[in-house]
Amino acid sequence: IQKRWRGYYVRKYIHNYFALKKYLEAISVNNEIVRNELQEYAKMNEDEKKKKDREKKEKEKKFQARKMHYLLSTEQIAGIYNSPFRKSPDPMELLLRQSKPLSHRRQQVKSPFTSELYDWPTCRRPPTFPAGEPLPPIGRQKPQGPFRDTAEVLRQRYKPLEPTLRVAASINSPLEKARVEMKREEWRNRIHDNEFLPFSSYHKNEKYDPSIHRSGKYGQETYGIKHFREVQPNKWVTSK
């Protein structure tokens, strides 16, 4: 009795055959819908790729037609795509008639002083620029209108350069130049020429140079210049 009851209960409530069959049918329908959508998407991608390839080939064909436009037929001579032995001209001939020829590229004119530009980094010689032709002289006849005299205009045009003192003189005074030169000299000679002799009596023979900030010859150092470990024998308790 228990075995039959357990079988009935499991088939009725746990593993329902009709519910499982309905679930599997729904999955089959869903799979079919997804499969159809994927096929449509793949077909759409393939059509898009074919369209791009076709446009690319058409563009290349038009470029070739513009490039070979000189092979177009004329009134007197037939082109290679328009054979007299054919009943109708080649499609390339029709494309050549519709397309425009490619424009010629302008040839770059080489500057006459381009080769001299390579000497600029080495500063071997300055570049020589081609000088322009002088302007033709102005006519003697005075033009109509409120214009200045021709002689005055020519005098202003061809007057020599007379720079002022501010332009002719250097912007730096001689005193400033001397200061700059002294700083450079100190920077170049900032090397101690004496030998480093820590274990010899070389420093004992040096002459004492008193400071200019003290009144006495061997006066005590003022506050702020003192050493923190200054030796003061008058404050010693013992002789050591």
Side-chain angles (χ1 to χ4, degrees), residues 2-208:
Q2 291 180 0
K3 181 177 66 174
R4 291 183 180 276
W5 166 251
R6 283 196 301 268
Y8 168 76
Y9 181 80
V10 168
R11 286 191 299 271
K12 181 70 175 176
Y13 298 102
I14 299 179
H15 297 292
N16 193 348
Y17 170 75
F18 298 102
L20 183 60
K21 186 177 180 180
K22 188 177 181 180
Y23 171 72
L24 293 176
E25 288 178 356
I27 287 180
S28 301
V29 173
N30 191 19
N31 289 347
E32 189 68 24
I33 293 173
V34 172
R35 191 179 294 108
N36 293 336
E37 289 180 355
L38 289 175
Q39 288 178 359
E40 291 179 1
Y41 181 72
K43 187 178 180 182
M44 184 178 64
N45 284 346
E46 188 177 358
D47 294 343
E48 188 72 20
K49 186 177 180 181
K50 286 182 180 179
K51 182 181 178 182
K52 288 184 180 179
D53 293 343
R54 187 164 56 252
E55 290 178 355
K56 184 178 179 182
K57 289 180 181 179
E58 193 71 22
K59 190 175 180 180
E60 290 178 356
K61 195 174 181 180
K62 288 183 180 179
F63 178 75
Q64 290 295 333
R66 292 186 63 188
K67 195 175 180 181
M68 298 187 299
H69 195 269
Y70 60 91
L71 300 176
L72 182 65
S73 300
T74 58
E75 293 290 339
Q76 302 297 332
I77 303 175
I80 61 173
Y81 296 106
N82 191 13
S83 176
F85 303 102
R86 297 171 59 97
K87 294 182 180 180
S88 60
D90 194 84
M92 192 65 180
E93 176 70 19
L94 303 177
L95 188 60
L96 287 174
R97 295 177 185 177
Q98 297 175 0
S99 60
K100 296 180 180 180
L102 286 174
S103 58
H104 296 283
R105 294 181 180 177
R106 292 186 177 181
Q107 196 172 12
Q108 294 182 355
V109 181
K110 190 176 182 182
S111 180
F113 56 90
T114 306
S115 59
E116 299 182 3
L117 295 178
Y118 295 103
D119 298 335
W120 283 17
T122 55
C123 298
R124 290 183 292 181
R125 53 173 179 166
T128 56
F129 296 94
E133 297 181 359
L135 297 174
I138 303 176
R140 294 292 180 182
Q141 187 178 1
K142 185 177 179 181
Q144 185 178 3
F147 299 108
R148 292 191 300 173
D149 188 19
T150 309
E152 184 182 357
V153 174
L154 288 174
R155 196 181 309 111
Q156 183 180 358
R157 168 70 178 82
Y158 296 105
K159 69 177 181 180
L161 178 64
E162 296 178 358
T164 59
L165 182 62
R166 184 174 181 180
V167 178
S170 175
I171 192 172
N172 296 327
S173 62
L175 181 61
E176 189 69 23
K177 287 184 178 180
R179 288 174 180 172
V180 172
E181 188 63 30
M182 186 173 64
K183 287 182 180 179
R184 292 178 181 174
E185 188 72 22
E186 289 179 357
W187 180 261
R188 287 196 299 266
N189 299 336
R190 196 173 292 177
I191 300 173
H192 201 276
D193 297 332
N194 296 332
E195 296 181 3
F196 180 60
L197 303 173
F199 303 108
S200 64
S201 59
Y202 176 79
H203 61 282
K204 295 181 181 179
N205 300 327
E206 291 182 356
K207 188 178 178 181
Y208 175 76

Side-chain angles (χ1 to χ4, degrees), residues 219-240:
Q220 191 178 5
E221 293 179 349
T222 58
Y223 181 77
I225 313 178
K226 275 186 186 178
H227 299 287
F228 289 102
R229 297 191 178 184
E230 189 178 33
V231 179
Q232 297 181 1
N234 54 351
K235 295 185 179 181
W236 288 358
V237 180
T238 61
S239 60
K240 292 184 181 181

